[in-house]
Amino acid sequence: MVTKDYYSGQGEVWIAPIKAGVTGKYRFLGNVPELEIATEVDKVEHKESSSGQRLTDHVLTKEKKVSFKATIEELSDDNVALAFQGKKTEIAGGKVTDEEIADVVAGDTVFLSGIGFADLKVKDSNTSAATTLTEGTHYAVDARFGKVTLLDLSGLTLPLKATFTKAKTVQIEFMTENVEGYALKFLGLNTAKSDEPVMVELLKTSIDPAKTWALIQDELGSLELDGDVLAVDGKMVVVTRMVK
């Protein structure tokens, strides 16, 4: 029986930064439901002018381009930083003492300098006998986001002072990183041919920042990566299959 070379692909996508011409450590991008490469040729067609038919007698290839596009569904810190050319920074947690809450009136909402905090204590600035505020009476708190809503400030001396323990966090600053490029490996399975393995390597890519990120939606979120494939020693894309 002759096996048909049909193709239907799934597989893993791995990526590694390139710095000073050296490919770094690869990491798994997680679930990638769509990955495609596209080619483009910029060419000039020359037409002869002696036969009366204006026939094309030569084609000059000026440029060959390869691009890629991928959809990533696992929005880890590293993937978000990758998609938006961001810098990921870990911010240490710890105790904050007497952070001032000034220029406020009842009904105002303020955001403290940390999120995910615990052990919040708020007092006023009465130098003779500071008043410790009561949650539910003087203020309401959403510790997840460091949000404090002031309810009743009657008889209190401003500024208020907050003491709390803030959580360790990760911050990602968009559009701050300049990376030389990225290498991609697709470890593919041809599900139309008994999961035959095929590896596709994009030796060096220049990834554009993601254009959108839907922050409010009803479905699972995703980010789109796309960019150009660059030549390395005259090669751009390498496909490897096992020979049986």
Side-chain angles (χ1 to χ4, degrees):
M1 179 180 178
V2 178
T3 301
K4 301 293 187 179
D5 280 324
Y6 297 133
Y7 178 82
S8 178
Q10 289 197 322
E12 300 177 357
V13 182
W14 291 71
I15 193 167
I18 300 174
K19 297 181 180 179
V22 178
T23 301
K25 183 185 297 186
Y26 279 88
R27 68 176 184 86
F28 179 44
L29 280 180
N31 199 57
V32 178
E34 295 181 3
L35 174 66
E36 63 181 32
I37 57 176
T39 63
E40 180 182 347
V41 177
D42 183 8
K43 59 186 180 180
V44 175
E45 296 183 350
H46 179 268
K47 299 183 185 300
E48 55 81 27
S49 58
S50 58
S51 70
Q53 303 299 315
R54 295 183 175 84
L55 302 176
T56 299
D57 64 356
H58 187 75
V59 176
L60 174 64
T61 299
K62 297 176 63 178
E63 183 181 12
K64 297 179 181 179
K65 295 181 64 176
V66 179
S67 60
F68 83 98
K69 181 183 298 185
T71 300
I72 55 176
E73 290 186 330
E74 297 189 29
L75 304 191
S76 65
D77 296 332
D78 288 331
N79 282 352
V80 172
L82 169 69
F84 292 100
Q85 295 182 354
K87 179 181 179 181
K88 187 181 79 168
T89 305
E90 291 189 356
I91 309 298
K95 188 171 183 179
V96 177
T97 302
D98 289 347
E99 181 174 306
E100 290 193 355
I101 304 174
D103 300 324
V104 290
V105 297
D108 285 352
T109 294
V110 297
F111 292 88
L112 301 182
S113 60
I115 66 173
F117 56 68
D119 303 322
L120 175 65
K121 304 295 183 186
V122 183
K123 63 182 180 180
D124 76 348
S125 292
N126 188 323
T127 56
S128 59
T131 299
T132 299
L133 280 65
T134 302
E135 182 179 351
T137 299
H138 297 105
Y139 65 90
V141 60
D142 186 344
R144 299 170 301 171
F145 301 107
K147 184 176 73 170
V148 177
T149 300
L150 302 168
L151 304 176
D152 184 2
L153 302 182
S154 303
L156 300 176
T157 303
L158 298 179
L160 304 178
K161 297 179 180 180
T163 297
F164 55 94
T165 301
K166 64 180 181 179
K168 179 181 178 180
T169 58
V170 172
Q171 291 185 355
I172 301 171
E173 299 176 13
F174 282 19
M175 311 293 280
T176 56
E177 286 290 276
N178 293 312
V179 178
E180 179 182 335
Y182 293 91
L184 268 74
K185 286 183 184 288
F186 172 56
L187 311 183
L189 298 174
N190 184 358
T191 61
K193 199 175 180 183
S194 302
D195 287 348
E196 180 181 76
V198 55
M199 183 169 70
V200 181
E201 299 175 84
L202 310 185
L203 302 180
K204 185 177 183 180
T205 66
S206 174
I207 299 178
D208 298 328
K211 296 177 176 60
T212 61
W213 181 10
L215 297 177
I216 298 177
Q217 56 188 251
D218 293 327
E219 306 295 334
L220 290 177
S222 63
L223 290 172
E224 302 293 331
L225 296 183
D226 58 73
D228 296 317
V229 181
L230 308 179
V232 177
D233 297 328
K235 297 182 290 185
M236 303 173 77
V237 180
V238 177
V239 179
T240 304
R241 300 173 64 182
M242 290 190 297
V243 177
K244 298 181 181 179

